[in-house]
């Protein structure tokens, strides 16, 4: 138990990787829907072998991908607004008017996280 008392050295967290997030999520969503539609004609075979969950997993992946597309588009827009505000020299902290909200009046200033 003496080894558990030693403290590991702390390091600074690396910067997050930014890439084509919207394209990645759109591509994955399309893939889930393609897999769903390709398997759909074989529903009888899947049902006979107890594998219908494969079909419904693909449909769920596509549905969750649609939510993901909505989220990452809002996040991307918020990041671009923050970068534009920073470049203009204004405080980019106000995230009203993001265009991604549902108007539910929850009191949050924005729907997408800002970095």
């Amino acid at each position: 138990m003496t080894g558990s008392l030693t403290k590991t050295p702390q390091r600074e967290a690396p910067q997050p990787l930014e890439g084509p997030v919207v394209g990645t999520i759109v591509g994955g969503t399309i893939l889930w829907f393609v897999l769903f539609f390709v398997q759909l004609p074989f529903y009888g075979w899947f049902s006979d072998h107890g594998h219908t969950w494969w079909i419904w997993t693909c449909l769920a992946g596509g549905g969750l991908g649609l939510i993901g597309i909505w989220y990452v588009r809002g996040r991307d827009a918020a990041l671009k607004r923050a970068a534009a505000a920073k470049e203009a020299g204004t405080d980019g902290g106000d995230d009203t008017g993001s265009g991604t909200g549902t108007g539910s009046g929850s009191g949050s200033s924005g729907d997408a996280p800002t970095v």
Side-chain angles (χ1 to χ4, degrees):
M1 293 265 331
T2 60
S4 63
L5 297 177
T6 60
K7 192 169 188 165
T8 59
Q10 299 292 317
R11 291 182 248 161
E12 186 176 333
Q15 291 294 320
L17 295 174
E18 292 294 332
V21 180
V22 175
T24 302
I25 301 300
V26 168
T29 302
I30 290 171
L31 183 63
W32 279 116
F33 279 124
V34 165
L35 288 171
F36 171 72
F37 286 117
V38 165
Q39 292 178 5
L40 203 54
F42 304 103
Y43 185 85
W45 184 89
F46 285 112
S47 181
D48 292 343
H49 292 86
H51 296 304
T52 55
W53 64 271
W54 288 8
I55 296 172
W56 304 123
T57 299
C58 294
L59 183 61
L64 291 172
L66 292 176
I67 295 170
I69 291 170
W70 170 78
Y71 179 82
V72 296
R73 287 186 68 206
R75 178 184 179 271
D76 193 43
L79 289 173
K80 287 179 181 175
R81 276 193 314 275
K86 184 176 181 182
E87 188 175 298
T90 61
D91 179 30
D94 186 12
D95 194 26
T96 57
S98 64
T100 60
T102 59
S104 63
S106 64
S108 64
S109 62
D111 293 331
T114 57
V115 178

